[in-house]
Amino acid sequence: MTKPATIHLKDYAPTPFTITEVNLTFELAEDVTVVTSELSFKRQTDATDQVRLNGEALVLKSVFLDGAVLSKSNYTLTDKDLTFIAPSDEFKATIVTEIKPQENTALEGLYKSSGNFCTQCEAEGFRKITYYLDRPDVMARFTTSIIGDGMEYPVMLSNGNLVSDTKLEDGRVKKVWEDPHPKPAYLFALVAGKLACVEDEFVTASGRKVALQIFIELGNEDKCDHAMTSLKKSMKWDEEKYGREYDLDVFMIVAVGDFNMGAMENKGLNIFNSKYVLASSQTATDTDFDGIESVIAHEYFHNWTGNRITCRDWFQLTLKEGLTVFRDQQFSADMNSAAVKRIDDVQRLRAAQFPEDAGPLAHPIQPQSYVEINNFYTATVYEKGAEIIRMMHTLAGPEGFRKGMDIYFDRHDGQAVTTEEFVSAIEAGSGLDLKQFRNWYIQPGTPEIAVEDAYNETSSTYELTFTQKNVKAGEGADPLHIPVAMGLLDEDGNSLLDDDLLHLTKAKQTFTFENIPSKPIPSLFRKFSAPIKITRNPADEKLGLLFRNDSDEFNRWEAGQQLALQGLLADVELYASGQALTGLSNDYTEAFGEILDDQNMDPAFKAEVLTLPSESYIGQQMKIVDVDAIHTVRKVALKSLGKRFETQLKSIYADLKSHNSMGARALKNLCLSYLVASSDDYLPLASEQYFSSENMTDRMASLARLVNSETDHRAEALQNFYDNWKEDQLVLDKWFMLQATSSRSSTMDDVKGLLAHPDFTMLNPNRVRSLIAAFAGANPIHFHNENGGGYQFLADRIIELNSTNPQIAARLVAPLGQWRRHNETRQGLMQAELRRILETENISNDVYEMANKSLSN
Ligand code: B3K
Ligand code: ZN
């Protein structure tokens, strides 16, 4: 194959011509869809007279320039673009193309899902609809006419406002939509089909009425309440927190079953994976409800951070994504428990972003180059990007940050800008100098911080010395500006100092604290004030004290995690050398018991605090991950905690049974998992919960306990679950996922068997994620089986998906890219599969880039 081209940030140049107006007409039909596009061009630079439009997988029917047909000899057509000479500085082009949405399995451009037409254009899907300058700095006003059979497609939607709805002479229906806001093509959307609509209304702060509409497949009308409530809360919150009002008369959300990601923020017409819209307590877990609230908010917030102000080019992706994730995190923290939300966000960062940043696919939040932009919708751009915005918020303080945001909106509304313009606005609003801080945008890797302390009794001074290093950033990389939120506690756990903020700016730096009466215990990086790893912490000897007393809830949780890790990692070593395990320290276990009995603690927070670090997080602490030892050691630890606190766990479980709140369910189900870990005698209790539960949270929590067992309870419950929910695709995904993540010995065969299940399809991304991604990403012992079967299974699926859905195929490569973290046997097997993937015939750019980088970087 010829190696695909790499695109570089340094090569950015504006287009010689831009497009100001777009008039699209879609004639929807079952065999071919005809797209007529009228574009108004206007010269911007003198670079060239050539106009080169992007276009892929299109059948070109005709081109007209200023009304005159352009003959074939006057344009050049390749499988990627259409080029012609501009007739003048301002002209109109009319281009007619044909496409076949019903054959589009890549789910990019215009495609069909359950018989309905829908689109996904970000990042470069619009070029699969028509020839266009498909890049975010070309912003035009769109008018969209949709023509089709009114019986087949009673609903026809596009961005903006509906301006006409007529019946044509031939009986077809024509609807015209006008979007007054200039936008890049990636925000274009079209939906047509038989859909039900749930409606509500929002009155903005300035008194304008906005119609809210959620479109779903018929029969799902009763599953939109939570999405609608979340939308109204988001609209209100953005007005109150950032002074941002919605700007059209209608806001529409469409839920579709086949979708590559979570959702898409198309102007005025968000398209969602149905997973992030549909919910009832019968079908969705508490985690699903939280997910809906945050994704609805995220897409809504994009209206200002992404749509009104968009990205100049795709290297600026974190400009809209990091910022919008930060905003949705703030929103969820305001709606729910802020501490629990922060813990969840950090766990997500550590689970997905830290490994990425430590592996072959590491990149700065502003990448410098890419082969396929879809591969850069990463945990780094999103989650680490959000952390970098959060640090600016911490440094500026809430008021300074808000002022900076106001300046950002004032200066750049209607523009396509860079991250530099964002940082400048925050500087202007806050008065901060962020010169050094900008390094966060260009350095990959997770900084490692080592801290040492010294106490001087005579002078009552305490010193903290920080050293920062970032291996991935390379030799000689500049130190980062790192905000360290911290406090000091005395030996009794009382606070000596709270809410201090240190600016760590040097490679090595000492901070001195005066008037400290006795040697303190530092609580560092409170609320996880920077996305770093601490490699040496003076508090390591005093984690039990912080676990019991830290007034910062995040650090209280963190102390518990670190204390548990100390014991778990020590046991992993003992296990590997064939010695008897010593188990979790008394310090941890005793604190665990005290916290379990604490009547005043929020149960949701308590459930977080009493959960042991995950297998994958334990693995991250090791140079070479010993998956089997980790699994066994963690299981033994769960069992011993379950046994030691059996009485309390049972009584809390019983007490909480009748409580109907999310926090109570989380804690109750944690108790159940400890009890089942303590002895199989509790499997009947799990089974009883499964059959008596009245909501999906409790049902899933109990079924998750049963699927690891070999008893009849397992088969019975799984069968019951299937029989009850086989018609509900989102619930059925859970059934596949639970079996894919089971620890029982036959799991690999079970998963292969499920591939042949009549309800399994490789064409639906949610189903692929629930079986294949879940197995590879969340079942370490089976995926990493030293017989190589797990790796081979994954590579086979990637090769299969390469031809139907390259984006989803590429997303599955990452687990194999972690080969350097495993023993030699596994390394060899994983590399062999990556090489086999690279030999795939007609390999997509998406998969090529991921597999190639995984092997070579
Ligand atoms: N902006 C979209 C993601 C598009 C991904 C394209 N491969 C969803 C979001 O982040 O809100
Ligand atoms: Zn986003």
Side-chain angles (χ1 to χ4, degrees), residues 4-64:
T6 299
I7 323 281
H8 296 273
L9 169 57
K10 63 175 164 45
D11 296 339
Y12 173 82
T15 51
F17 290 84
T18 191
I19 300 171
T20 53
E21 301 280 336
V22 183
N23 231 305
L24 293 169
T25 304
F26 288 82
E27 292 177 70
L28 304 175
E30 304 316 302
D31 45 354
V32 274
T33 290
V34 182
V35 184
T36 304
S37 161
E38 290 171 34
L39 308 172
S40 305
F41 284 89
K42 194 173 174 193
R43 186 184 280 283
Q44 300 197 108
T45 80
D46 289 330
T48 170
D49 289 342
Q50 264 191 7
V51 177
R52 182 190 301 270
L53 304 180
N54 312 101
E56 282 172 28
L58 303 171
V59 177
L60 178 64
K61 301 308 277 187
S62 52
V63 187
F64 300 83

Side-chain angles (χ1 to χ4, degrees), residues 74-99:
N74 285 323
Y75 62 76
T76 321
L77 191 63
T78 75
D79 58 356
K80 290 210 156 37
D81 47 33
L82 166 69
T83 311
F84 54 82
I85 302 293
S88 56
D89 287 352
E90 273 185 50
F91 65 97
K92 273 200 163 69
T94 304
I95 302 169
V96 184
T97 47
E98 285 182 359
I99 47 178

Side-chain angles (χ1 to χ4, degrees), residues 3 342 425 650 663 787 804 817:
K3 262 178 68 189
R342 188 65 187 133
K650 260 164 69 173
N787 68 14
T804 53

Side-chain angles (χ1 to χ4, degrees), residues 41 266 297 731:
F41 284 89
N266 317 299
V731 182

Side-chain angles (χ1 to χ4, degrees), residues 631-774:
H631 180 72
T632 307
V633 161
R634 189 173 184 278
K635 219 167 115 175
V636 169
L638 291 171
K639 183 172 182 160
S640 74
L641 287 169
K643 278 210 178 317
R644 163 106 181 242
F645 298 107
E646 187 174 357
T647 324
Q648 281 130 290
L649 289 162
K650 260 164 69 173
S651 94
I652 298 173
Y653 179 85
D655 282 353
L656 292 175
K657 252 188 125 165
S658 52
H659 287 231
N660 187 21
S661 77
M662 259 161 123
R665 281 191 287 276
L667 186 56
K668 175 185 68 184
N669 288 319
L670 182 77
C671 292
L672 178 68
S673 72
Y674 276 114
L675 290 169
V676 173
S678 78
S679 156
D680 282 354
D681 294 348
Y682 285 100
L683 285 170
L685 180 66
S687 177
E688 191 190 304
Q689 174 171 322
Y690 173 82
F691 283 101
S692 65
S693 56
E694 279 159 18
N695 60 72
M696 190 49 84
T697 305
D698 287 343
R699 213 173 280 132
M700 279 294 283
S702 49
L703 190 55
R705 309 280 59 89
L706 297 172
V707 288
N708 297 329
S709 80
E710 303 289 345
T711 62
D712 290 344
H713 293 302
R714 172 187 198 273
E716 227 173 69
L718 274 176
Q719 187 61 47
N720 173 277
F721 193 93
Y722 179 78
D723 292 343
N724 282 338
W725 302 108
K726 58 179 180 295
E727 306 301 337
D728 188 317
Q729 299 309 314
L730 294 171
V731 182
L732 205 51
D733 286 334
K734 298 179 190 304
W735 184 80
F736 279 97
M737 184 273 288
L738 279 179
Q739 296 178 78
T741 52
S742 166
S743 62
R744 75 205 282 261
S745 56
S746 61
T747 297
M748 182 74 266
D749 289 335
D750 295 346
V751 169
K752 285 184 184 156
L754 286 169
L755 274 187
H757 193 281
D759 288 306
F760 185 80
T761 165
M762 289 287 267
L763 294 176
N764 177 265
N766 286 354
R767 197 56 40 96
V768 168
R769 282 185 278 259
S770 68
L771 187 66
I772 299 160

